[in-house]
Amino acid sequence: HGQLNLVDLAGSECIGRSGAKNDRAREAGSINQSLLTLGRVITALVDHHGHIPYRDSKLTRLLQESLGGKAKTCIIATLSPSQSAVEETMSTLDYAYRAKSIKNQPTVNQRLTKKTIMKEYLAEVETLKMQLMQTREKNGVYMAADEFYAMETRLAAQESQLEECESALTQRTEEIKLVRRERDEYFAGYESTKQQLTVVAAELDEARVTLDEAKETVTGAYVELSATEAVVSEQLQTESKLLQQGQSLQKDLSHAQSDVNRLLDKVQRAAQSEEQKLRETQQFVSQLTASSQQLSYQVQGLSQRSAQHADTLNGGVAQMLQQGRSTCSSLQNAISAALTTMIGDAESARDEMTASCSG
């Protein structure tokens, strides 16, 4: 049965120019990947590489018969006359030019029936019989011209295939040498990596020991931290209690200070009152002293006048003079006693006020 493939190859998607995002951006990446794989297949076919990477993508796997196979292939390249699409136009032309260089070997699809096969076998038998008869009739090997030309064509094709196989073998040999060199480099890198791994394992063991020691140190530090936190919490509680007591004492001190201030005000008022009383007492004593002196002066004047009267009367009034003298003496004694008592009371009051003010 025949097969017809119609493939619409999308153009190269430039994400920066098209502004595709999310799903469209992933789709554009897949398209570019498929086109890149198709380009590698076309390059390998044009340059006659030994290995054609058909299986690198689904697109090239489906187009395997259309690219260097037994199918006929037609490519239609669409171009744009726009100046802004020059790069895409040149890329498409280059793609089409390289694809044009691929050589296919198309064959006709036929349904093989028993009759067709029998006809082919009978024709081949007749050809062999003719060649046998010609060989018997003539010396050497005889071959018809068309068969000779067909054989030469086959030999030329086989020689070309042999050359391609030799070139592919040479390429494969180079690839094998390259792979061997890469393998040797890989093994050398592997040995180096193995040694580095050994060193890293030793360092890891040391790091584990150091980590265990660090864990123990951290555990001890955590225990010490817990103890320190407990001590700190107790100190905080003690500080809070002391703060409460200090606040209470401060309140008591403020109350006591207010009481002392009131007491000082009271003492100051009492001192002022005592000073006022002392000033009044001193004023009274001075007035009393002045009064007593004035009274003494008056008594002295009276005595002098009495003496003058006594001198002038001379005896007529002796009895009256004697009575006056006795009266004056008694009056003077009474005044002296009264003055002495008043002075003693004033001095005792002054001493009491002085004692109260000093206390």
Side-chain angles (χ1 to χ4, degrees):
H1 62 281
Q3 185 177 2
L4 178 63
N5 293 326
L6 298 175
V7 180
D8 180 14
L9 296 178
S12 177
E13 292 289 338
C14 182
I15 297 176
R17 184 179 298 178
S18 63
K21 296 181 180 179
N22 300 329
D23 295 339
R24 294 295 299 277
R26 286 192 291 271
E27 182 181 358
S30 301
I31 291 172
N32 292 334
Q33 182 67 30
S34 300
L35 292 176
L36 181 62
T37 306
L38 180 59
R40 287 201 299 267
V41 170
I42 293 174
T43 302
L45 289 171
V46 172
D47 296 340
H48 302 288
H49 292 175
H51 172 68
I52 310 300
Y54 287 114
R55 297 182 180 273
D56 288 354
S57 70
K58 294 181 180 179
L59 177 63
T60 54
R61 185 68 181 88
L62 292 173
L63 297 179
Q64 182 174 357
E65 291 296 332
S66 300
L67 299 173
K70 299 179 181 180
K72 288 185 178 181
T73 304
C74 178
I75 296 179
I76 300 174
T78 58
L79 307 176
S80 173
S82 176
Q83 183 67 26
S84 61
V86 174
E87 296 181 0
E88 286 79 0
T89 301
M90 296 301 295
S91 176
T92 302
L93 289 174
D94 182 60
Y95 225 91
Y97 179 76
R98 285 188 297 154
K100 183 181 178 181
S101 302
I102 298 175
K103 294 182 179 180
N104 292 355
Q105 297 177 357
T107 58
V108 179
N109 292 323
Q110 295 179 352
R111 293 188 62 182
L112 298 178
T113 60
K114 292 181 180 180
K115 291 181 180 180
T116 305
I117 295 173
M118 290 299 293
K119 286 181 180 180
E120 290 180 356
Y121 286 160
L122 289 174
E124 188 175 358
V125 170
E126 292 295 333
T127 303
L128 291 174
K129 285 180 179 180
M130 187 180 297
Q131 290 177 359
L132 181 60
M133 289 175 63
Q134 291 174 354
T135 303
R136 288 177 180 177
E137 291 176 355
K138 297 180 179 181
N139 294 328
V141 178
Y142 176 78
M143 185 179 295
D146 53 353
E147 293 180 0
F148 178 74
Y149 293 144
M151 184 179 67
E152 284 186 348
T153 304
R154 287 197 301 271
L155 288 175
Q158 289 176 359
E159 286 179 358
S160 63
Q161 290 179 359
L162 181 60
E163 291 177 356
E164 291 178 0
C165 290
E166 287 179 353
S167 63
L169 180 61
T170 304
Q171 185 177 0
R172 288 294 178 87
T173 304
E174 295 295 331
E175 290 179 356
I176 289 171
K177 290 181 180 179
L178 181 61
V179 169
R180 285 179 179 175
R181 285 198 300 269
E182 291 179 354
R183 183 194 63 183
D184 295 337
E185 293 177 357
Y186 172 75
F187 278 119
Y190 173 74
E191 293 296 332
S192 177
T193 305
K194 189 176 181 180
Q195 294 177 0
Q196 293 178 1
L197 181 62
T198 304
V199 175
V200 171
E203 293 178 354
L204 182 61
D205 294 335
E206 294 178 357
R208 286 177 179 173
V209 174
T210 307
L211 181 61
D212 294 334
E213 294 177 355
K215 285 182 179 179
E216 293 178 357
T217 305
V218 170
T219 304
Y222 182 73
V223 173
E224 292 179 358
L225 181 61
S226 301
T228 305
E229 287 180 353
V231 173
V232 169
S233 62
E234 292 180 358
Q235 289 180 355
L236 289 175
Q237 292 177 0
T238 305
E239 288 180 359
S240 62
K241 291 180 180 178
L242 291 175
L243 183 61
Q244 292 177 358
Q245 292 179 0
Q247 291 177 353
S248 178
L249 291 174
Q250 188 175 4
K251 291 180 180 179
D252 295 339
L253 181 61
S254 62
H255 292 314
Q257 188 174 3
S258 61
D259 294 338
V260 168
N261 291 329
R262 288 195 296 272
L263 182 60
L264 288 175
D265 293 337
K266 187 176 181 181
V267 169
Q268 187 176 3
R269 289 194 298 272
Q272 291 177 356
S273 177
E274 293 296 331
E275 287 179 358
Q276 183 68 24
K277 289 181 180 180
L278 180 61
R279 286 194 298 270
E280 291 177 354
T281 303
Q282 289 177 354
Q283 185 177 2
F284 175 73
V285 170
S286 63
Q287 290 178 357
L288 184 60
T289 304
S291 299
S292 61
Q293 288 178 357
Q294 186 177 2
L295 183 61
S296 177
Y297 291 153
Q298 291 178 359
V299 169
Q300 288 178 2
L302 182 62
S303 297
Q304 289 176 2
R305 285 193 299 273
S306 297
Q308 290 176 0
H309 288 164
D311 289 336
T312 56
L313 291 176
N314 290 321
V317 286
Q319 188 176 357
M320 291 178 65
L321 181 60
Q322 187 175 359
Q323 290 178 355
R325 287 181 180 175
S326 61
T327 303
C328 289
S329 299
S330 60
L331 182 61
Q332 186 176 3
N333 291 329
I335 291 170
S336 297
L339 288 174
T340 302
T341 303
M342 289 177 67
I343 290 170
D345 292 337
E347 289 179 354
S348 62
R350 184 184 63 187
D351 294 333
E352 289 179 358
M353 289 182 182
T354 305
S356 63
C357 290
S358 63

